[in-house]
Amino acid sequence: ESALAGRRCCACCLLPATTMCQSEAPDAAPVKPDAAPPASKPKPQAEELAAIRHSPQRKRAIALGRPSDAAGECDVVADPRFDIDKTIFGTLTSPVKRWVQSAKLNHVETWHAEPLASIESAFAAVSVPRSVSDDAPLFRFMAEECDFSLEHADGSFMDHLHFCADYSALHFSDHSPRVLLLHSILGVGTNCFPMGAEKLPALRSPAP
C-alpha cells in the first residue's frame, strides 16, 4: 500500500483525511538529525483562522463521508520547497523518523480535470452546517491565545481542523463539531502545544 494511502489526519485523529493517490513515496527531503524546533511565524488573525480552504481530497471525503481511492485521477510529485522543519514534525530528532515523515508528506497533487470537476460538483451538492460563525469569539481566542502558526502535515493547521469539524458537522450531526475543531489545541503527537493548559478556564468561559 502506498505511503500516501489511508493515512490519518494526525496521531490523535480518528477521521481519515482521505485515501490519496496511490503512488510510490517520493524521495524524502534531506535529513537534519539535530534540527532545532521550528521558529514560529507571526500569529494569524481571527479572520484567517476562520477561512475554510478544503483541498480536493478533503472535499471528496466530506461529500462522500468516507475515504476513496484516487489512483489515476491525479499526479503526485515531490515538492522541491518541502521543509519538514516548517511542519509540526520539525521537532523530531531521530533521522529515521524524520526520513519516514518526509517520505510520507513531501508530495504535491495535480488533479486531472474530469475527476476534479466531479469532486467540486459533489462537494457543491452537500450543505455543511456552519457551527461557528467567522467572527465568533472562539476564533479570536484561537488567534490571540494559541499558536497555530506551524504548518500541519497536510496544509495549514487550521485546514486540518476545519476539515475535521466540517466532516463531523455533516456526518456526525448528533455531536458538536467544535470537539474536532479544537481536538489538537492541547497538543499533537510531536509535542507541539498550540495552547497551554493554564488557558483552559479562559476557553471555557462565556464570550464577553
Side-chain angles (χ1 to χ4, degrees), residues 8-16 88-89 152 157 160-161 164 179-180 182-190 192 194:
R8 293 179 297 173
C9 282
C10 67
C12 60
C13 183
L14 299 180
L15 291 176
I88 62 171
F89 299 101
H152 196 266
F157 215 126
H160 163 67
L161 296 181
C164 292
V179 175
L180 288 180
L182 295 172
H183 79 275
S184 293
I185 200 170
L186 278 175
V188 297
T190 54
C192 167

Side-chain angles (χ1 to χ4, degrees), residues 72-124:
E73 297 183 339
C74 67
D75 300 318
V76 183
V77 297
D79 184 354
R81 302 165 301 172
F82 178 79
D83 184 351
I84 193 171
D85 289 325
K86 292 182 179 179
T87 76
I88 62 171
F89 299 101
T91 56
L92 295 176
T93 57
S94 164
V96 173
K97 291 181 179 179
R98 289 173 65 86
W99 183 89
V100 169
Q101 291 299 336
S102 294
K104 287 181 178 180
L105 305 177
N106 181 11
H107 59 85
V108 177
E109 304 88 36
T110 301
W111 288 80
H112 302 171
E114 187 173 342
L116 181 59
S118 176
I119 291 171
E120 295 293 349
S121 176
F123 185 73

Side-chain angles (χ1 to χ4, degrees), residues 5-6 14 18-19 24 36 64 72-73 86 91 106 110 116 129 134 139 143 150 156-157 167 177 180 191 193:
L14 299 180
T18 182
T19 299
E24 292 298 322
L64 299 180
E73 297 183 339
K86 292 182 179 179
T91 56
N106 181 11
T110 301
L116 181 59
D134 289 353
F139 285 125
L150 290 177
S156 74
F157 215 126
Y167 192 103
L180 288 180
N191 289 328
F193 299 93

Side-chain angles (χ1 to χ4, degrees), residues 47-55 58-59 156 158-159 162:
E47 295 78 10
E48 296 177 65
L49 295 187
I52 298 177
R53 297 175 291 268
H54 291 310
S55 62
R58 284 178 170 155
K59 286 182 178 180
S156 74
M158 288 306 303
D159 290 342
H162 279 306

